[in-house]
Amino acid sequence: MKYNTNVPLNIAAVIVCAGKGERSGLAYNKILHLIGRKTVLEKSLDAFSCTRVKHITVVTAEDDIAAVRSITSAYDDITVVLGGATRAQSVYAGLKAYPCDVVLIHDGARPFVSPAVIERTVDSAIERGSGIAAVPCVDTVKRVRNGKVQSMPRAELFNAQTPQAFRYAEIMDAYARAVGTFTDDAEVYESAGYSPCLVDGEYDNVKLTTPADFTAPTKSSRIGVGFDLHRLVEGRKLILGGVTLDYRLGLLGHSDADVLTHAIMDALLSAADLPDIGVLFPDTDDRYLGISSITLLKQVLGEVTRKGYGIGNISAVVIAQQPKLAPIIPDIRRSLASALGICIKQINVSATTTERLGLIGEGNAIAANASCILNALSTPTENTDGKH
Ligand code: MG
C-alpha cells in the first residue's frame, strides 16, 4: 500500500524521555542537561520544528513531568504523557496518545538529530512503510558465544539510530502484538512480520549515554583567569577558601583577605565579562571591612548566574612557602564547592612554593591563581525561539 501523496498527511513524532539515564552519572534526567543555552530535549524539539512533523508527543517519567512541561510550554502542538516501566511501554503510550498517518519515534537523548535525517525517514515511511536512520558500522564487530569469538562481516552491519518512522497503523499493529524485550522500534515492527527499511543516518546523531558525553565543553563556554596576592602579618587570621588555618600569621586586607577566594572570584567575573572584585567590592567601602570572602563569592555567583552562565569547572593554585597546605586542601575544596553549589570534582585546588625565593618564598606573602570555565545556560527569553 502506498499513501496518496496528493492528500496532506498528518505526520507526528513520539520523543521518548522516560528513562532514568542511570549510566549518565548525572543527578537529573539527561534530557534536562544543558548543551550551551538549550537542554538536550529542546535541541531535539528545535530540529523537529524545522520539518513536516506537525505534532510531538513527549513521553516522560513522573519525576520529570513538571520540568518537561515547563520546557514544552514554549512550543506549539506538543502533548506530554507519562511513560511506562519499559521503553516499549513508554513508546506505546506515546503512540496511543496521538493517532496520525506517519509517526516518527525518537530517543530524547539524541539532541544532534538534523532536520535532513528526520525528513529522510518521513519520505521512506511514506514510500516504503518505514524509515530507520542508520549508519554503517565503523568498528569491526565480534560475536562471542560460549567463549568462541566469531567475526561479523562489517559491510553487512549498520548501527541503528533514531528517528525511526513508520506508517501509524502498522507500528500500532506491531506494538499491539509485541511480546518480549526489544531494543528499538524497528525490532518490534520486524517481530510483527513487517520489513524495516534503512535510510542514511548521521554519525553526529549520537545518543548521550555515559558521563564523558556530558563533560565536553560547549560552543558557548568561556574561560576566565584570576590572580591575587596578600601580605602575611601578625595578628590576623589565615583564611583560604573559607577555611581558617592554624598558623601564627594571617593575610592583611580590607576584607578577610582570603586570597584564594579572591582569585576565584576574579576568574569567574572575567569569564562572565563582568568587572573585577576591585570594582565590585572597593576597599574604600566600609560595607566590606572584615567581610567573609565566601559571602562575596556567593554574590559573585549570583552575578554570574544572572549573566546566564553556570560553572563548568574551576582550577586554582595557592602559592605559599608556609604553612603546608596539602592536609587542608580537601576541606578547602569542600568549602568552596558548598558556597558555589557545585560538586567537589568541579573545583580543584593545588599548592606550590617558590623555592624560598622572593616575597612569597621568604614567608611574607601568599598568592593564588585561578582559572575557570563557564557554560552558557538557557534563559527564559531564549526558550521561545524554537517555536513551531
Ligand atoms: Mg585580594
Side-chain angles (χ1 to χ4, degrees):
M1 181 198 85
K2 266 195 180 184
Y3 279 113
N4 177 357
T5 45
N6 295 324
V7 180
L9 294 173
N10 189 5
I11 299 165
V14 173
I15 300 187
V16 197
C17 307
K20 292 196 182 75
E22 279 157 346
R23 280 178 292 169
S24 72
L26 299 173
Y28 48 89
N29 190 326
K30 58 190 173 182
I31 54 125
L32 304 175
H33 184 74
L34 284 162
I35 299 172
R37 291 169 182 267
K38 301 271 176 126
T39 57
V40 168
L41 176 58
E42 284 169 290
K43 291 263 191 193
S44 286
L45 294 177
D46 288 351
F48 277 87
S49 73
C50 305
T51 68
R52 283 171 283 174
V53 173
K54 291 287 172 267
H55 182 274
I56 295 175
T57 303
V58 177
V59 189
T60 188
E62 196 149 22
D63 286 351
D64 301 315
I65 201 155
V68 167
R69 283 222 166 97
S70 99
I71 289 170
T72 56
S73 64
Y75 297 78
D76 296 328
D77 300 317
I78 293 194
T79 308
V80 179
V81 301
L82 274 182
T86 63
R87 184 184 183 281
Q89 286 171 13
S90 294
V91 171
Y92 199 24
L95 289 171
K96 284 191 277 194
Y98 189 83
C100 55
D101 297 315
V102 168
V103 65
L104 292 81
I105 301 163
H106 184 62
D107 291 327
R110 289 186 191 267
F112 306 117
V113 62
S114 71
V117 170
I118 294 169
E119 295 287 12
R120 281 201 286 276
T121 66
V122 172
D123 286 339
S124 178
I126 293 170
E127 283 290 310
R128 305 185 289 169
S130 66
I132 314 302
V135 288
C137 257
V138 175
D139 295 321
T140 298
V141 176
K142 308 287 184 194
R143 172 191 273 160
V144 183
R145 263 190 192 158
N146 303 323
K148 189 173 183 302
V149 177
Q150 186 191 355
S151 296
M152 309 295 287
R154 191 171 62 184
E156 296 176 4
L157 297 174
F158 289 80
N159 288 113
Q161 304 181 331
T162 69
Q164 302 191 349
F166 306 91
R167 291 179 185 151
Y168 182 78
E170 293 179 359
I171 193 69
M172 281 299 281
D173 170 51
Y175 263 99
R177 295 195 278 129
V179 182
T181 15
F182 303 93
T183 57
D184 72 351
D185 309 295
E187 196 181 355
V188 174
Y189 189 70
E190 198 186 329
S191 76
Y194 297 102
S195 297
C197 300
L198 301 188
V199 302
D200 289 340
E202 287 174 355
Y203 286 103
D204 287 348
N205 180 22
V206 293
K207 187 173 182 182
L208 302 179
T209 307
T210 65
D213 296 330
F214 294 91
T215 50
T218 65
K219 282 180 186 161
S220 308
S221 297
R222 290 176 59 97
I223 193 167
V225 63
F227 174 81
D228 197 20
L229 180 148
H230 283 260
R231 186 176 289 277
L232 274 168
V233 295
E234 287 180 353
R236 293 271 302 181
K237 280 184 182 168
L238 176 57
I239 300 169
L240 292 173
V243 176
T244 305
L245 283 81
D246 185 15
Y247 189 54
R248 64 188 172 84
L249 304 174
L251 294 171
L252 182 64
H254 186 68
S255 65
D256 65 359
D258 181 341
V259 67
L260 171 60
T261 303
H262 291 186
I264 289 170
M265 285 193 281
D266 269 345
L268 294 169
L269 291 165
S270 165
D273 192 26
L274 288 165
D276 64 30
I277 54 171
V279 176
L280 287 185
F281 314 118
D283 61 8
T284 49
D285 190 330
D286 282 350
R287 279 181 299 169
Y288 306 121
L289 184 64
I291 196 170
S292 159
S293 297
I294 290 293
T295 304
L296 301 179
L297 179 65
K298 288 177 183 170
Q299 286 184 35
V300 164
L301 177 68
E303 295 293 325
V304 165
T305 308
R306 264 190 294 284
K307 194 89 195 253
Y309 293 101
I311 296 170
N313 75 301
I314 296 170
S315 184
V317 54
V318 181
I319 308 149
Q321 195 64 46
Q322 284 284 334
K324 284 286 167 250
L325 299 176
I328 202 82
I329 277 180
D331 288 346
I332 290 175
R333 290 177 68 186
R334 262 192 296 277
S335 160
L336 291 165
S338 149
L340 292 166
I342 57 178
C343 307
I344 297 269
K345 279 193 288 190
Q346 287 171 278
I347 173 141
N348 191 278
V349 177
S350 57
T352 189
T353 70
T354 59
E355 297 286 335
R356 305 198 175 280
L357 294 169
L359 196 63
I360 294 170
E362 288 157 10
N364 294 317
I366 292 180
N369 218 334
S371 304
C372 72
I373 296 274
L374 295 183
N375 297 319
L377 305 172
S378 64
T379 64
T381 49
E382 279 154 352
N383 274 345
T384 55
D385 62 15
K387 266 185 177 288
H388 280 229

